[in-house]
Amino acid sequence: MRIPALATACILFAPALGAAQPPEIAGKDLKPVPGPLVDRYCGAPGYHDPAVGLGNSGLQMQFRESARRSPSIPARALPDGAVSVSDTVGSVAGWKAYRIEVPPGVKVHARIHSAHDGWFLVRTVNRMGSLEPGMLQNLIPTGNPEASYTNLKREPNTIFFVVDTTELGTETEPYKLVVDWAGGAKP
């Protein structure tokens, strides 16, 4: 018996169409929490302000640099499990962090979706604002605003996804941060 092509396509792709989308949350509805430290984050090897470049006003860069001298990056707590957060950076400093508690053996991946993806970077850091095992794959640029973390420890670990802007004046640019979980005993 021969199955028509349309029926075959429906059978093969129906599970993908019915895949559950992560719940959507507005960034303003997330609980504010202490963020990662700035001094260690900025001092990390190879880190620099991504907005530094030709064509930027010196005065605007001074405002941004001054705003980035705070002790920590403003942060919001993400709920457990896959989630999609609609938000803006909302600060002249051009960055915002999202705290997440990762169970042992779980990999979390965060990606920005925006009308201007190239205006954003996503980095993964710990509470001290530095890198640790499970984050090192993010040192290889992919050209996409994304980062991941794999918890290699035997206990839950708190990490931060830091959303950073590459252009001045983009603090009101809307974006969607999509966080996916894989492996381990996810919630």
Side-chain angles (χ1 to χ4, degrees), residues 85-89 96 98 112-113 120 173-177:
V85 179
S86 298
D87 208 354
T88 64
V89 171
K96 183 181 236 176
Y98 296 90
I112 292 282
H113 296 281
F120 297 96
E173 178 73 19
Y175 61 83
K176 189 174 284 192
L177 179 71

Side-chain angles (χ1 to χ4, degrees), residues 96-167:
K96 183 181 236 176
Y98 296 90
R99 185 184 76 186
I100 188 167
E101 186 81 18
V102 184
V106 172
K107 178 180 180 178
V108 290
H109 175 263
R111 183 167 192 322
I112 292 282
H113 296 281
S114 167
H116 306 99
D117 285 355
W119 291 357
F120 297 96
L121 293 174
V122 180
R123 300 178 191 270
T124 310
V125 296
N126 61 17
R127 288 180 182 149
M128 300 308 292
S130 57
L131 297 174
E132 63 182 49
M135 301 175 182
L136 302 178
Q137 70 278 2
N138 299 313
L139 296 176
I140 301 167
T142 64
N144 295 313
E146 63 185 346
S148 64
Y149 171 71
T150 304
N151 188 358
L152 304 173
K153 299 177 180 182
R154 293 185 177 173
E155 65 273 347
N157 192 27
T158 301
I159 60 111
F160 294 85
F161 286 118
V162 178
V163 174
D164 206 347
T165 56
T166 63
E167 299 290 328

